[in-house]
Amino acid sequence: MDKKELAEFLRRRREELRPRDVGLVEGPRRRTRGLRREEVAQLAGMSTDYYARLEQQRAPQPSLQITTALARALRLSLDERDHLFVLLGHNAPARFQRSEHVSPTLMRVLDRLDDSPALVQTDLFDTLAMNPLAVALLGDQTRHTGLARSGYYRWFMDPAERLMVPEETHERHGRAQAARLRAALTAGSDTPRAAQIVAELQEHSIEFVRMWELQEVAQRYDDCKIILHPALGRIDVDAQILFTENRAQTLVVLTTRPGTESHSKLELLSVIGDQQLTP
């Protein structure tokens, strides 16, 4: 607990707020810059004396509950909230917040991408939205239900999922899936569902058990850059990733290098869409 930095941080954040920012009435004779200590204490549901001692570097470490209430009372951003937790000697809480509703920011970007495959996924690898070119390249991944909505689950349980990836990359791809699932299990948006997926895979997939026992953990996107299209064959892509602020949703944009065979194939897909191709 960094009492000196904490006191300065709390004081500055308190002085930056106006009563109207937090739903309080600002009287005509108000002389205090920003909020008063008692107002912050009231908003946080704590005693004025305890809050005053925090700013005076005399208070013991607040509980996690009080720390969360302070962050809310001072209207802290996620970055400021995490900083407050660290100053108080706590681990910052995970930023994930599960939602089936696609982030408006990501949707605006997705709507404007018509020349590159793009899709929005959760940290459990559920696909929430795809543009037409992504459907043409990867198939409609939003059609799945139950545990099969998760790409992690499908990789180990659905043989059709592996047809899109070269066999020589299966080992690396599978380990990446298991590592990302472990990250979602410990700090994800829906840890109970992640635990359910892990339990099912441990019961039904020997391969998953072997990879899970490696104890690898990662939040990075799998670096496999080769897609096997059922009609056009191999397409080499680069993946660009855009996260929401809380990292609960990800926009994945796939691109090809101009002048390559893969680029020509993607241009063809953009014309014909997902209609059945014939020799």
Side-chain angles (χ1 to χ4, degrees):
M1 180 174 172
D2 190 333
K3 292 187 176 182
K4 182 177 182 298
E5 288 294 325
L6 172 66
E8 294 178 358
F9 180 71
L10 291 176
R11 187 180 305 110
R12 180 56 63 89
R13 297 278 70 78
R14 174 172 62 83
E15 291 175 349
E16 292 297 322
L17 285 174
R18 304 296 300 177
R20 61 178 175 271
D21 296 332
V22 296
L24 299 177
V25 177
E26 186 170 347
R29 298 183 179 180
R30 189 179 187 90
R31 297 181 180 179
T32 304
R33 178 185 174 185
L35 297 182
R36 300 186 180 99
R37 287 175 175 174
E38 57 267 27
E39 290 171 334
V40 174
Q42 177 186 352
L43 291 168
M46 58 194 299
S47 72
T48 301
D49 177 68
Y50 184 73
Y51 178 79
R53 283 188 287 143
L54 284 173
E55 286 199 5
Q56 295 164 356
Q57 306 177 41
R58 299 188 297 112
Q61 183 185 42
S63 66
L64 289 172
Q65 182 179 2
I66 289 296
T67 304
T68 301
L70 266 177
R72 187 181 303 115
L74 291 169
R75 305 302 194 261
L76 300 183
S77 68
L78 282 175
D79 291 334
E80 291 170 337
R81 180 205 66 176
D82 291 353
H83 184 63
L84 175 65
F85 269 76
V86 172
L87 290 178
L88 287 169
H90 296 306
N91 292 324
R95 294 192 177 197
F96 289 110
Q97 183 178 2
R98 179 171 174 78
S99 174
E100 296 294 324
H101 178 68
V102 179
S103 159
T105 301
L106 294 190
M107 279 305 303
R108 284 196 295 271
V109 178
L110 183 66
D111 289 340
R112 287 162 174 75
L113 290 170
D114 54 12
D115 61 348
S116 296
L119 57 160
V120 177
Q121 297 177 321
T122 70
D123 61 306
L124 279 178
F125 221 1
D126 297 344
T127 300
L128 303 180
M130 307 175 74
N131 67 1
L133 191 49
V135 175
L137 178 64
L138 304 171
D140 184 6
Q141 296 184 353
T142 65
R143 74 184 189 279
H144 300 287
T145 59
L147 294 182
R149 291 189 64 195
S150 169
Y152 303 138
Y153 181 88
R154 295 198 307 274
W155 175 259
F156 292 101
M157 298 297 291
D158 184 357
E161 195 76 8
R162 302 185 177 220
L163 298 178
M164 294 187 295
V165 181
E167 185 175 356
E168 62 269 19
T169 68
H170 283 188
E171 176 75 13
R172 174 166 55 87
H173 190 83
R175 287 177 61 174
Q177 300 290 68
R180 291 183 66 203
L181 178 55
R182 188 180 294 278
L185 177 66
T186 55
S189 63
D190 191 347
T191 52
R193 182 162 172 261
Q196 185 181 6
I197 292 172
V198 170
E200 286 290 318
L201 292 179
Q202 286 178 321
E203 182 176 353
H204 299 291
S205 173
I206 296 176
E207 180 188 23
F208 173 78
V209 171
R210 175 174 62 82
M211 293 180 174
W212 189 252
E213 289 176 349
L214 296 175
Q215 293 290 328
E216 295 175 330
V217 57
Q219 292 185 354
R220 57 176 170 75
Y221 189 77
D222 178 35
D223 58 359
C224 181
K225 298 182 179 181
I226 303 172
I227 294 173
L228 299 181
H229 189 271
L232 298 180
R234 173 174 174 150
I235 300 178
D236 297 310
V237 299
D238 292 314
Q240 302 298 321
I241 312 300
L242 177 65
F243 293 100
T244 54
E245 185 178 4
N246 63 3
R247 299 180 71 86
Q249 295 180 3
T250 306
L251 175 66
V252 182
V253 182
L254 303 176
T255 60
T256 53
R257 299 181 182 181
T260 63
E261 183 181 2
S262 294
H263 188 71
S264 298
K265 290 179 179 179
L266 203 58
E267 286 184 324
L268 176 59
L269 272 181
S270 68
V271 174
I272 64 177
D274 61 348
Q275 61 184 286
Q276 183 68 36
L277 296 175
T278 57

